[in-house]
Each structure stands twice: as C-alpha cells, then as structure tokens.
Amino acid sequence: MTHRRLILGLAFTLLITGCAHLGLQPADDAAGAATAADEPQALADSSEPAAPERETDLWDRIRAGLQMEERTDPRVEAEIAYYASRPEYIDRVADRAAPYLHYIVEQLEKRGMPMELALLPVIESAYQPFAYSPGRAAGIWQFIPSTGRHYGLKQTWWYDGRRDVIASTNAALDYLQQLYNRFSDWELALAAYNAGQGNVNRAIRNNERRGLPTDYWSLKLPRETQHYVPRLLAIRALVAEPERYGLTLRSIPDKPYLTVVEIGSQIDLALAAELAGMSVDELYRLNPGFNRWATDPDGPHLLVVPIEAVERFEMALTELPPEKRVRWERHKIASGDTLIGIAKRYHTTVEVLRQVNDLRGSRIRAGQHLIVPVASRSAEHYTLSASQRLAQTQQKPRAGQKHIHTVQRGDTLWDLARRYGTTTRQLAQWNGMSPRDTIRPGQNLVVWLNAGGSGIQKAVASPADAVKPPVTVQQVRYKVRRGDSLYLIARKFNVSVDDLLRWNNLSRKSYLQPGQSLVVHVDITGGSI
C-alpha cells in the first residue's frame, strides 16, 4: 500500500513538472476549470480569419499635421464656396497628386513644416507635373528659371529640374523655409513665394510708415497674391472637414508609392520603361523632368519608379551594360553637314556629339564618321517628351483657320501678335510657351486666323485646373549694359524696336550708352515665384 502511494505521488509530481515545463498551469480551482473548459471554443475562434485591418489614409495623416490658423475672412469663404462646388475638380487633383503626395508629406514631417504646404501645388499647378505658366514657371511647384537655378534645379535641353518632382519638392521646401525664417509667419512666407520677397517687404514697409498692421491680411499686395493665401486656406478647410462641405475625398493609401533608383548613366526612356514593366507615359509622369527621349547624358543619373517595380527594374538594369542603354548609329558626314544640323536630325545636342566623338570645335569633314546616340523608337512613341507635348498643343483643334508662321530673323511675339490680330498671350498659348519666351529663326508657330469672328480666338481658361494670374501691361525701366543694342533689348522683352524708339523718343541712329535708362512696356504676369 505504501509502495502504491509512493508511485502515485511520483506520477503526480512528474505531471505537475511537465505542465510547468510547457508553460501550463494545472486547473486547481473553479476559475481554472472554467478557463480550461473554454479553451476548445477559444481555439475554434482563433481558427477563423482575422478581420482585415483598415488601410490608413494619407488624408488623415495630412489632417494630423495641419498647423496654420483657420480664417473666416470673406476671401477664404468665397474660395471655399468655389472649390466645394467643383467636386470633380477635387477628384482630378487627388488622382494627379496620388503618386507624389506621400513623398511630399514625409518630407514635410521630417522638416517639421506645416502640412498645409502639401496642398500648395493644388493652387500652383493643380498637381500637373508638366504645367507651364505665362510667367515661365514650370512643374508642380511652379519655379521660374532664375529661382529654380538659385535653388539648385538644373535646366538643360535634356532635363528641367523644375519639373522633377523629387528635386523640385526639396527646392520648394528649402525656399519656403527660408521665407519663413525671414518673416516668422507662414502666411507672409506664402505671399512672398507667390509675389516675391521684395514685394512683401515693400508692402510691410509701407504699412509701417503709416502705422498700420503688417500681417498678411492688412497688406496691400498684388491682386493675385491677395487671393493666394485664401485659396490655400480654402483647400485646407475642405481637406480638414470634407463632409462639412458635402465632399468625399478619394482615398490615397498612406504608404510609399515611388522610389529613386541610381542608374549610373544615360538610358533610353522607352527601354527603361520596358525594363520596369510599365508604359512610357507612366515613366514620364514619374520623371517629368526629362525633356527628351533619354535621360540627360550628364545626369542626374536617377530614375523614379514605383516601389512594386523596383526589384524587376534593378535586376534588369544590372544585366544591361551602359553601352547598350542607348542605341548608337554611325553617321557618315556629307558635304554641307554641320554639327548643329546633325544634332537636330538625330534629336540630340552639339555638346553630346562633341563629347561622344572627342571633338574640340565644330569643324567636321565630309567622308568622316560620327557616332550618334539615337532613340530606339519613333519620336511619336515618346508622347510626353517636350517635342511631342508641343506637337499635341499645336495640333489641338481650335476655332478659325490654322496658319503656320516660320520665324524670321528680327521677329518678336509682339510684332507677330499685332500682324495676325491677336495678343502675345494668346499666341504663346497656341504654341505651349510663355509670352516672355524668346523665339528663334526657323521656329514654326501656329496661328489661328479669324477665330471667333473677331480675328482672334478668345482664351478659354479653366481657373479650376490652374490658377492663371491676370495679364497687365506695366512700364519698367531698363538700364543699358555694355554690348546692348536696340535689337537685343527688344528681343529680351518681346517688343519691337519701333516701340522702343517711340517710348524713348529715339531714332534708329541713336547710340546707346551703358547705364542709360530706357522705358519698356511689357506684359507683367502676377503669380508664381
């Protein structure tokens, strides 16, 4: 009997020890018994698929980072009413912003800047990466050439960093932070981004002299700038409380969409798209800084691709040596050939031809050969290159009779507009350019004659798709520099030599002196930086 009890005691001890080793507890009370009894049900519940987690929305993240003060100013209320009545426009902008918005939000968070700035491209460009304003501003952040260069945005025949979403976002945030450091106020910083720091400084000084407040709402600023901050605050209000205004924002997942790949050398964009398993159009929309059929031979050697395509792209890229990333052709120089002519024929530049062929000057000889980089597809395949975007603009059907004018030496937009009974702004719009852009001999311009029965076609603008500043003619003074001539100054301002003579009571025999002041009447377009 004692022996039997000893055996049972040992067995019980082993059982308890085994339970402890497995991390289990013996059911030694009523509560334990109840738990043990419930275990089969718990196992059955855990075998059912878990409910999918709700995907976080980027708009929620933006709302959490809003920092600017709400305003009830009538200008803000008017802008809210305007945008709230156009839900289809808000949807279009959200669709365009979707590939870029997560990157911009992350950069703002890293810098501790107001999340309202992620909405700034809505009023600058409607998030259209190829937007180009009459004031020569380009990209979603609408940099003009000089400000873009100041903030490190490279601009060449091959590439325009103002349209590069990654580069221009970083430049725009640098610029906005610098303006905030100057004014210690985000509303004034935004006003300066739109009108220029000098205009805001002058408005502040004017109010200080008159003993008036110097906040944004008290300053006398250009007309466009008076509506600029209210527009942003209106978009802010719609994003903060869309349901209040009867809107439903299209969901944008709060997760990265794009990534940047170091490619190391020039590559044909059609080939790059093929390696990434995407269309050429999709690649251009993620890399709108590239103007031509290939990336810039001098860099940046960076390409933006969707995260889901990066593994395939990088693997394919490593298997493709640099010399095969662009197709090369051997061109035999004919009598009369020039580097400029050959470059134009092959859609490249003289600089590239010199570099590839180790040429120091521009002299070439008939019978020799040049190695020329060429596109792997026809020009039409690169639908969002600069030349194809221009072709689409010029071919767009409009009212009136289409006429092609080939620019002659001495032509200006001002002269051509008067000749054809239109305006420089309209002529520029027909040809996808700014009224301030220079034109070159041999360039073809589209003119629509007798449009609308009044000699010109009325501009049909959609203020919702991009904020277009009003055009006004303003008198400016230009100080003559060494080497200037009446022709060069007229070309610089897109005016005629005759007008310069008339405005300044000069004759064609007049001699210009360095430092001399001339009056010029030019189109001044407000807005953009």
Side-chain angles (χ1 to χ4, degrees), residues 152-163:
L153 298 177
K154 180 180 178 182
Q155 297 160 56
T156 68
W157 186 82
W158 290 95
Y159 168 83
D160 190 338
R162 297 176 301 158
R163 291 199 309 270

Side-chain angles (χ1 to χ4, degrees), residues 85-97:
S85 66
R86 291 163 172 78
E88 70 288 344
Y89 163 70
I90 301 296
D91 287 343
R92 288 201 306 274
V93 173
D95 287 344
R96 295 190 199 117

Side-chain angles (χ1 to χ4, degrees), residues 258-310:
L258 49 82
T259 189
V260 180
V261 177
E262 172 67 54
I263 56 176
S265 65
Q266 186 183 34
I267 190 169
D268 186 313
L269 290 172
L271 176 58
E274 184 179 316
L275 297 181
M278 56 195 300
S279 71
V280 176
D281 275 15
E282 289 174 312
L283 190 66
Y284 268 115
R285 291 189 188 282
L286 292 182
N287 298 272
F290 293 116
N291 293 327
R292 310 298 166 186
W293 55 271
T295 61
D296 190 331
D298 295 323
H301 299 308
L302 303 171
L303 210 59
V304 177
V305 296
I307 286 178
E308 63 183 20
V310 68

Side-chain angles (χ1 to χ4, degrees), residues 36 255 452 511:
K255 59 182 181 181
Y511 180 73

Side-chain angles (χ1 to χ4, degrees), residues 109-127:
E109 284 184 346
K110 288 178 183 177
R111 297 168 180 248
M113 299 172 78
M115 204 54 69
E116 283 87 350
L117 301 182
L119 308 176
L120 194 58
V122 176
I123 64 172
E124 280 289 349
S125 62
Y127 263 104

